[in-house]
Amino acid sequence: METGDGVSAPAQFSDNTAECIVSVKGLKENWQKWSDEHQEYQKHNPFSHDTRPNVVVPQKGQDDYGRPLQGSMTEQRGKDAHTHISKEVQELCEVIRNIGEPRDGDGGGSDGKVITVEFGKLFEHYVTISNKLVGVLLRARKQRLVNFEGEMLWQGKDDHVVITLLQ
Protein backbone atom coordinates (compact mmCIF):
# COMPACT_ATOMS: atom_id res chain seq x y z
CA MET A 1 0.00 0.00 0.00
CA GLU A 2 1.29 3.45 -0.83
CA THR A 3 1.20 6.45 1.39
CA GLY A 4 0.50 9.89 -0.04
CA ASP A 5 4.20 10.49 -0.88
CA GLY A 6 4.56 7.35 -3.03
CA VAL A 7 6.39 5.27 -0.40
CA SER A 8 5.16 1.75 0.30
CA ALA A 9 4.14 0.77 3.76
CA PRO A 10 5.65 -2.70 4.24
CA ALA A 11 3.91 -3.48 7.55
CA GLN A 12 0.46 -3.15 5.99
CA PHE A 13 1.52 -5.18 2.95
CA SER A 14 2.63 -8.08 5.10
CA ASP A 15 -0.67 -7.97 7.03
CA ASN A 16 -2.61 -8.22 3.73
CA THR A 17 -0.41 -11.12 2.64
CA ALA A 18 -1.13 -12.93 5.92
CA GLU A 19 -4.86 -12.38 5.38
CA CYS A 20 -4.58 -13.81 1.86
CA ILE A 21 -2.78 -16.88 3.14
CA VAL A 22 -5.47 -17.45 5.75
CA SER A 23 -8.21 -17.02 3.11
CA VAL A 24 -6.58 -19.42 0.66
CA LYS A 25 -5.96 -21.90 3.46
CA GLY A 26 -9.60 -21.60 4.51
CA LEU A 27 -10.77 -22.12 0.93
CA LYS A 28 -8.56 -25.20 0.62
CA GLU A 29 -9.90 -26.63 3.90
CA ASN A 30 -13.51 -25.96 2.88
CA TRP A 31 -12.95 -27.59 -0.50
CA GLN A 32 -11.33 -30.64 1.11
CA LYS A 33 -14.20 -30.93 3.60
CA TRP A 34 -16.76 -30.79 0.77
CA SER A 35 -14.78 -33.33 -1.24
CA ASP A 36 -14.60 -35.76 1.70
CA GLU A 37 -18.34 -35.40 2.39
CA HIS A 38 -19.16 -35.91 -1.29
CA GLN A 39 -17.00 -39.04 -1.51
CA GLU A 40 -18.73 -40.46 1.56
CA TYR A 41 -22.14 -39.64 0.08
CA GLN A 42 -21.22 -41.32 -3.21
CA LYS A 43 -20.34 -44.51 -1.32
CA HIS A 44 -24.02 -44.81 -0.38
CA ASN A 45 -25.46 -43.54 -3.66
CA PRO A 46 -26.66 -46.55 -5.65
CA PHE A 47 -26.71 -44.51 -8.85
CA SER A 48 -23.08 -43.41 -8.74
CA HIS A 49 -20.46 -45.22 -10.77
CA ASP A 50 -18.84 -46.33 -7.54
CA THR A 51 -18.35 -50.10 -7.70
CA ARG A 52 -17.79 -50.74 -4.01
CA PRO A 53 -19.62 -53.84 -2.81
CA ASN A 54 -21.14 -52.10 0.25
CA VAL A 55 -23.51 -49.99 -1.88
CA VAL A 56 -27.06 -51.15 -1.16
CA VAL A 57 -29.41 -50.75 -4.10
CA PRO A 58 -33.06 -50.38 -3.03
CA GLN A 59 -35.37 -53.00 -4.51
CA LYS A 60 -38.99 -52.63 -5.61
CA GLY A 61 -41.35 -53.35 -2.75
CA GLN A 62 -39.10 -51.91 -0.05
CA ASP A 63 -40.56 -49.08 2.00
CA ASP A 64 -37.85 -46.61 0.99
CA TYR A 65 -37.81 -47.54 -2.72
CA GLY A 66 -38.26 -44.43 -4.88
CA ARG A 67 -38.08 -42.08 -1.91
CA PRO A 68 -35.39 -39.53 -1.07
CA LEU A 69 -33.15 -39.95 1.95
CA GLN A 70 -34.79 -38.86 5.18
CA GLY A 71 -33.70 -35.39 6.18
CA SER A 72 -32.40 -34.52 2.70
CA MET A 73 -33.25 -31.33 0.87
CA THR A 74 -35.00 -33.43 -1.76
CA GLU A 75 -37.32 -34.83 0.88
CA GLN A 76 -38.04 -31.30 2.15
CA ARG A 77 -38.81 -30.03 -1.38
CA GLY A 78 -41.22 -32.94 -1.83
CA LYS A 79 -42.98 -32.12 1.43
CA ASP A 80 -43.20 -28.45 0.46
CA ALA A 81 -44.65 -29.36 -2.95
CA HIS A 82 -47.21 -31.66 -1.32
CA THR A 83 -48.29 -28.88 1.04
CA HIS A 84 -48.59 -26.42 -1.83
CA ILE A 85 -50.71 -28.68 -4.05
CA SER A 86 -52.92 -29.63 -1.08
CA LYS A 87 -53.68 -25.93 -0.57
CA GLU A 88 -54.53 -25.57 -4.28
CA VAL A 89 -56.87 -28.59 -4.12
CA GLN A 90 -58.66 -27.12 -1.08
CA GLU A 91 -58.93 -23.76 -2.87
CA LEU A 92 -60.42 -25.52 -5.92
CA CYS A 93 -63.03 -27.24 -3.73
CA GLU A 94 -63.93 -23.88 -2.19
CA VAL A 95 -64.36 -22.31 -5.64
CA ILE A 96 -66.64 -25.21 -6.67
CA ARG A 97 -68.68 -24.69 -3.47
CA ASN A 98 -69.03 -20.98 -4.24
CA ILE A 99 -69.98 -21.16 -7.94
CA GLY A 100 -71.54 -24.62 -8.09
CA GLU A 101 -75.21 -25.53 -7.89
CA PRO A 102 -76.69 -27.94 -5.35
CA ARG A 103 -78.39 -30.95 -6.93
CA ASP A 104 -79.87 -34.19 -5.73
CA GLY A 105 -77.15 -36.81 -5.61
CA ASP A 106 -76.27 -40.21 -4.29
CA GLY A 107 -74.31 -39.37 -1.16
CA GLY A 108 -71.99 -36.45 -0.65
CA GLY A 109 -73.97 -34.11 1.60
CA SER A 110 -75.97 -35.11 4.66
CA ASP A 111 -79.24 -34.05 2.98
CA GLY A 112 -78.63 -36.07 -0.22
CA LYS A 113 -77.45 -33.00 -2.19
CA VAL A 114 -74.18 -32.58 -4.04
CA ILE A 115 -72.63 -29.50 -5.57
CA THR A 116 -71.92 -29.59 -9.30
CA VAL A 117 -70.45 -27.19 -11.84
CA GLU A 118 -69.70 -27.47 -15.54
CA PHE A 119 -66.04 -27.50 -16.52
CA GLY A 120 -66.44 -24.45 -18.78
CA LYS A 121 -67.89 -22.33 -15.97
CA LEU A 122 -65.24 -23.54 -13.54
CA PHE A 123 -62.50 -22.84 -16.08
CA GLU A 124 -63.71 -19.25 -16.59
CA HIS A 125 -63.75 -18.58 -12.82
CA TYR A 126 -60.65 -20.50 -11.87
CA VAL A 127 -58.33 -19.40 -14.70
CA THR A 128 -57.65 -16.13 -12.91
CA ILE A 129 -56.59 -18.08 -9.81
CA SER A 130 -54.40 -20.77 -11.36
CA ASN A 131 -53.36 -21.86 -14.83
CA LYS A 132 -53.09 -25.48 -13.64
CA LEU A 133 -56.80 -26.21 -13.27
CA VAL A 134 -56.84 -29.59 -15.03
CA GLY A 135 -53.85 -30.86 -13.03
CA VAL A 136 -55.42 -29.74 -9.77
CA LEU A 137 -58.73 -31.36 -10.80
CA LEU A 138 -56.96 -34.65 -11.50
CA ARG A 139 -55.25 -34.48 -8.11
CA ALA A 140 -58.57 -33.69 -6.39
CA ARG A 141 -60.19 -36.67 -8.14
CA LYS A 142 -57.34 -38.91 -7.03
CA GLN A 143 -58.04 -37.77 -3.45
CA ARG A 144 -61.76 -38.52 -4.04
CA LEU A 145 -62.79 -34.91 -3.45
CA VAL A 146 -64.35 -34.42 -6.90
CA ASN A 147 -65.59 -36.64 -9.71
CA PHE A 148 -66.09 -36.17 -13.45
CA GLU A 149 -66.40 -38.28 -16.58
CA GLY A 150 -63.37 -38.92 -18.76
CA GLU A 151 -59.68 -39.20 -18.20
CA MET A 152 -58.73 -35.64 -19.18
CA LEU A 153 -60.62 -32.37 -19.62
CA TRP A 154 -60.00 -30.02 -22.53
CA GLN A 155 -61.12 -26.40 -22.71
CA GLY A 156 -63.82 -25.95 -25.35
CA LYS A 157 -64.35 -29.65 -26.04
CA ASP A 158 -65.33 -30.59 -22.47
CA ASP A 159 -66.97 -27.34 -21.33
CA HIS A 160 -70.24 -29.19 -20.55
CA VAL A 161 -68.70 -32.00 -18.49
CA VAL A 162 -70.19 -31.88 -15.01
CA ILE A 163 -67.78 -31.84 -12.08
CA THR A 164 -69.24 -33.06 -8.81
CA LEU A 165 -67.86 -32.01 -5.43
CA LEU A 166 -67.87 -35.13 -3.26
CA GLN A 167 -66.89 -33.61 0.07
Side-chain angles (χ1 to χ4, degrees):
M1 179 173 186
E2 287 189 5
T3 59
D5 57 0
V7 177
S8 295
Q12 288 181 350
F13 180 75
S14 63
D15 287 346
N16 287 341
T17 305
E19 286 178 20
C20 287
I21 291 171
V22 171
S23 295
V24 170
K25 183 178 180 183
L27 286 172
K28 179 184 174 207
E29 288 172 356
N30 284 341
W31 176 259
Q32 190 61 48
K33 179 182 172 193
W34 177 87
S35 176
D36 294 342
E37 289 172 355
H38 182 70
Q39 285 177 351
E40 188 62 32
Y41 171 78
Q42 288 298 88
K43 288 179 186 177
H44 303 286
N45 180 357
F47 305 106
S48 73
H49 297 290
D50 195 341
T51 58
R52 293 189 181 99
N54 63 350
V55 175
V56 178
V57 178
Q59 300 295 317
K60 283 187 179 181
Q62 290 179 332
D63 290 340
D64 58 343
Y65 181 77
R67 298 198 181 271
L69 291 174
Q70 285 189 344
S72 68
M73 290 182 70
T74 303
E75 181 189 40
Q76 186 58 47
R77 283 191 295 270
K79 287 179 180 179
D80 293 345
H82 178 75
T83 301
H84 177 75
I85 194 66
S86 294
K87 286 179 185 175
E88 283 205 28
V89 167
Q90 292 303 320
E91 186 177 352
L92 170 69
C93 291
E94 190 61 33
V95 168
I96 293 172
R97 273 187 207 93
N98 290 337
I99 67 171
E101 301 168 3
R103 295 188 182 165
D104 291 330
D106 54 339
S110 60
D111 57 358
K113 301 246 184 213
V114 293
I115 298 175
T116 62
V117 64
E118 288 186 347
F119 177 65
K121 182 177 179 182
L122 179 61
F123 188 88
E124 291 300 320
H125 280 81
Y126 199 79
V127 74
T128 58
I129 301 168
S130 172
N131 61 353
K132 304 173 285 287
L133 173 60
V134 175
V136 176
L137 273 170
L138 292 172
R139 181 66 176 235
R141 180 168 66 180
K142 185 175 182 181
Q143 294 176 4
R144 295 188 172 106
L145 298 173
V146 300
N147 193 23
F148 54 88
E149 293 294 321
E151 193 171 323
M152 179 66 78
L153 296 174
W154 303 96
Q155 183 190 12
K157 176 182 166 234
D158 294 321
D159 283 351
H160 298 293
V161 172
V162 175
I163 299 168
T164 305
L165 183 64
L166 300 175
Q167 293 185 9

